Amino acid sequence: MNGKPTSEISVQFTVNEKLSEPEALAAVGTSPIPESITVDGVQVPTDVLERRYEPAFRVVADAVAPGRKTRLDPIVPGISVGHVSASAGTIGCIVYDREDATPYILSNWHVLHTAAAALGDDIVQPGPRDDNRIDSNRLGKLVRSHLGTAGDCAVATIDDRQFDSTIAEIGVVPETLGEPELGDKVVKSGRTTQVTHGVVRRIDVIAKLNYRGVGVKDIGGFEIGPDPNNPPVDGEVSSGGDSGAVWMFKSANGKTSTVMAGLHFGGETGGSSDEHALACLPSSVFEKLGISLTPPALDEAVVAHGYDAQFLSSPIPLPDVAAELLSDIAETPDGGGVLHYTHFSLAVRRSRRFAIWVAWNIDGAAIKKLPRKNIDFVKDPRLAAAAQVGNELYRGNRLDRGHVARRADLLWGSLPEAAKANKDSFFYTNITPQMDDFNQSTRDGVWGRLEDAVFADVEVDDLRVSAFGGPVFTDDNREFRRIKIPREYWKVLAFVEHGQLKARGFLLSQNLEQLETLDLDEFRVFQVRLTDIEQRTSLRFPQALRNADLQITPETTTLPVDSVSAIQW
């Protein structure tokens, strides 16, 4: 009453302007508010308040998330990461698969895996707690993990980002693993507390941690307390979100070394006054996960298993060579006559010094794009040099060195695997002479696009194709520099469509009658029966492949193919 509160309850109405005279109310098209309103049989008085509002705001800068908690490209150790359904932890460091050198990020099981997750799940950077736009933040997938005495650890691939191995703010790249001892000085870079310094104060620790959805687990490692000479800013040597960071040893001069001391996985609970952190022993973690700090050498990382006869759902063995030609197959170290490379195999006809056949597998779902720069054509040391044609044929003329197994077809699998295949494709055993116009043109012509066309025009099961190819040797092939140059080449593509094995054969002819001037006449592509290829090459394809061949009408032995649309798949 009169601007003062009373004990009486009322129904309040707010208006822009209070008017008391009936004439004034009528002028603005309204009527007086009744003095009371009946509510459930009770008379409740009304009260009218005059209120005027207007926007009141101030301009402020957009909120900027800390750098460690934002999406980064390239990623670096020390920043936020997590499973798509988890919170957020820290990328510890960049590691590599011991077998194939695939790069991974290293962190904790409870950061990248968790009880509700599974291998193959997506990993995001930053973790969902820092940015819930998981669709645009995908980093890779969970590939390996362990939770037990050996440690709380996991690794994930780096698929959608570049990376820099230098740890944030610390400025070092871990190079070797160390063994912590009492009194060692260490430092870590974590998502939450950033850079913190510590001292190893307990070793050979078995800590019991209660993991949500899993229960109590024994985790082996060591304990770290704050470094009194470098105390943490807020008193915390570890906080939630630091999980997965790596502890690095410090040298006697106080500088951070390149030796890794441990993998951070926990700290004291909220009710404890004893500030400390826990870390797994690096040697145990790296052994369990099969990783290393440096990638193995390429030749150590990839073993060349060659053509895989079981690559498709229907087995397809290598072709057989006619009995009369077996003695002309160049001898290999194992005596079998077949040389194996990464994703392809071949046999060389000694008298002609070129491959009689090359067989290769193509995994269309795992193709990588790698440059061909700085890779030299070389002879294979496993084969007698006299059984191979080298640069002596190609020097100073218009002959190109053409790949039989197309380089682009072989570049699949892990990056080291694809890189090894890239290098292997340049052995002269996989090379045949082709006119430069012919070779360059066929890259964009029908012949060079056959493998691409099958993926584009056919629903290939599992995106996998097996291929065979090589030159056609005839006695009347024109001789140049004492080497007979093939004028025809063959190729067979095998694939499975809707569970059914199919095989398609092709023949390409080039005219080299005027080899001295190296003029190109005409070359054409034909779709042919596999039996026609067998007759021309003295090879015998496995029966499964012959049964899968396109049934061209008896009246038509060849089908001219002027464009990929003319191919009968």
Side-chain angles (χ1 to χ4, degrees):
M1 182 69 69
N2 297 323
K4 295 181 180 180
T6 68
S7 60
E8 189 176 12
I9 296 175
S10 67
V11 177
Q12 293 184 336
F13 295 87
T14 56
V15 296
N16 187 56
E17 182 181 2
K18 285 182 71 170
L19 300 173
S20 57
E21 298 297 329
E23 295 81 3
L25 290 170
V28 295
T30 187
S31 57
I33 293 174
E35 293 184 357
S36 65
I37 296 176
T38 302
V39 180
D40 294 334
V42 178
Q43 291 288 105
V44 180
T46 62
D47 189 14
V48 179
L49 305 177
E50 186 174 271
R51 294 286 189 269
R52 293 186 181 183
Y53 302 101
E54 63 181 15
F57 58 87
R58 59 191 178 96
V59 177
V60 297
D62 292 338
V64 178
R68 293 173 182 263
K69 300 179 182 180
T70 58
R71 187 185 192 280
L72 296 180
D73 191 3
I75 60 166
V76 294
I79 63 175
S80 172
V81 74
H83 184 276
V84 288
S85 61
S87 177
T90 299
I91 296 176
C93 61
I94 305 299
V95 295
Y96 300 87
D97 190 288
R98 284 184 185 173
E99 298 297 325
D100 62 18
T102 299
Y104 299 135
I105 59 161
L106 173 65
S107 192
N108 291 146
W109 177 92
H110 72 269
V111 173
L112 301 182
H113 197 151
T114 75
L119 297 182
D121 284 358
D122 282 346
I123 303 302
V124 291
Q125 190 289 310
R129 181 183 180 87
D130 298 323
D131 187 340
N132 61 9
R133 295 171 294 183
I134 59 176
D135 290 341
S136 58
N137 289 335
R138 184 182 183 276
L139 173 63
K141 64 181 179 180
L142 174 67
V143 294
R144 214 168 294 156
S145 68
H146 176 76
L147 183 64
T149 306
D152 174 348
C153 52
V155 289
T157 59
I158 308 169
D159 298 335
D160 297 337
R161 232 73 71 80
Q162 301 297 311
F163 66 88
D164 180 346
S165 299
T166 307
I167 301 176
E169 293 190 60
I170 293 180
V172 299
V173 176
E175 295 178 352
T176 55
L177 305 180
E179 190 76 16
E181 296 182 357
L182 293 175
D184 283 339
K185 297 288 186 71
V186 290
V187 59
K188 72 168 173 60
S189 178
R191 161 199 174 271
T192 308
T193 57
Q194 301 183 42
V195 177
T196 52
H197 303 261
V199 179
V200 177
R201 65 183 193 186
R202 293 178 67 208
I203 57 175
D204 299 325
V205 171
I206 301 292
K208 292 184 179 292
L209 275 75
N210 190 357
Y211 289 87
R212 182 180 302 174
V214 176
V216 176
K217 286 285 187 177
D218 292 341
I219 310 296
F222 60 100
E223 185 179 292
I224 302 156
D227 182 352
N229 296 323
N230 288 285
V233 175
D234 58 359
E236 296 289 337
V237 73
S238 165
S239 290
D242 284 344
S243 294
V246 297
W247 288 95
M248 301 295 296
F249 285 111
K250 295 173 66 175
S251 303
N253 61 6
K255 293 185 177 180
T256 303
S257 74
T258 59
V259 183
M260 179 178 167
L263 179 66
H264 181 81
F265 70 92
E268 82 287 344
T269 59
S272 174
S273 59
D274 179 28
E275 181 64 29
H276 65 272
L278 295 169
C280 311
L281 294 169
S283 56
S284 299
V285 167
F286 277 59
E287 182 65 30
K288 273 293 181 184
L289 297 179
I291 55 177
S292 63
L293 283 172
T294 55
L298 185 61
D299 291 340
E300 297 175 2
V302 180
V303 178
H305 294 294
Y307 169 81
D308 182 2
Q310 307 295 323
F311 190 69
L312 304 181
S313 57
S314 298
I316 304 178
L318 293 170
D320 292 323
V321 177
E324 63 269 20
L325 293 181
L326 286 176
S327 60
D328 197 25
I329 300 302
E331 186 176 352
T332 56
D334 63 0
V338 177
L339 290 170
H340 299 293
Y341 302 87
T342 308
H343 303 154
F344 70 104
S345 301
L346 56 83
V348 172
R349 189 171 171 182
R350 186 173 57 250
S351 63
R352 301 300 293 261
R353 301 171 65 188
F354 298 121
I356 188 171
W357 58 258
V358 181
W360 64 101
N361 305 118
I362 311 169
D363 188 343
I367 291 289
K368 303 290 190 297
K369 292 185 178 180
L370 299 177
R372 58 187 297 160
K373 292 182 178 179
N374 302 319
I375 303 179
D376 295 327
F377 290 91
V378 294
K379 290 186 176 183
D380 192 326
R382 296 174 296 173
L383 205 64
Q388 308 171 65
V389 173
N391 197 45
E392 66 274 10
L393 175 64
Y394 305 96
R395 189 184 301 113
N397 56 57
R398 286 180 52 205
L399 281 177
D400 265 359
R401 292 165 289 198
H403 288 71
V404 179
R406 200 175 64 155
R407 186 183 74 93
D409 294 345
L410 305 173
L411 308 186
W412 52 268
S414 67
L415 282 174
E417 188 178 358
K420 182 69 162 56
N422 195 17
K423 184 178 179 182
D424 284 359
S425 74
F426 283 85
F427 278 111
Y428 274 114
T429 48
N430 183 44
I431 302 302
T432 54
Q434 297 171 357
M435 297 296 298
D436 56 2
D437 288 345
F438 164 84
N439 189 35
Q440 300 296 329
S441 298
T442 54
R443 290 176 184 171
D444 295 322
V446 176
W447 189 254
R449 295 162 57 199
L450 289 175
E451 292 91 331
D452 296 334
V454 69
F455 287 116
D457 298 337
V458 180
E459 293 185 22
V460 178
D461 291 3
D462 301 322
L463 293 179
R464 289 190 163 203
V465 171
S466 288
F468 306 85
V472 176
F473 299 121
T474 60
D475 292 337
D476 65 348
N477 282 158
R478 190 62 179 264
E479 189 172 297
F480 179 65
R481 294 182 178 175
R482 299 183 180 181
I483 297 168
K484 290 188 174 182
I485 309 298
R487 66 167 59 91
E488 291 183 339
Y489 293 86
W490 62 273
K491 187 178 293 185
V492 174
L493 300 181
F495 54 92
V496 177
E497 182 181 23
H498 305 309
Q500 179 184 358
L501 178 64
K502 294 185 177 182
R504 301 293 182 261
F506 303 91
L507 184 71
L508 182 143
S509 296
Q510 61 171 319
N511 193 329
L512 296 177
E513 290 304 321
Q514 299 179 2
L515 191 57
E516 288 78 4
T517 58
L518 295 182
D519 287 335
L520 174 68
D521 192 357
E522 182 182 14
F523 57 89
R524 298 192 66 186
V525 177
F526 300 91
Q527 187 165 2
V528 299
R529 298 172 180 169
L530 267 61
T531 52
D532 187 24
I533 295 175
E534 288 178 329
Q535 292 171 2
R536 292 170 179 265
T537 61
S538 297
L539 297 174
R540 174 78 178 186
F541 296 113
Q543 191 60 45
L545 212 57
R546 292 161 60 93
N547 293 341
D549 191 12
L550 176 68
Q551 299 302 310
I552 302 176
T553 61
E555 296 78 16
T556 306
T557 58
T558 62
L559 298 174
V561 178
D562 297 322
S563 66
V564 292
S565 61
I567 299 173
Q568 294 188 23
W569 293 114

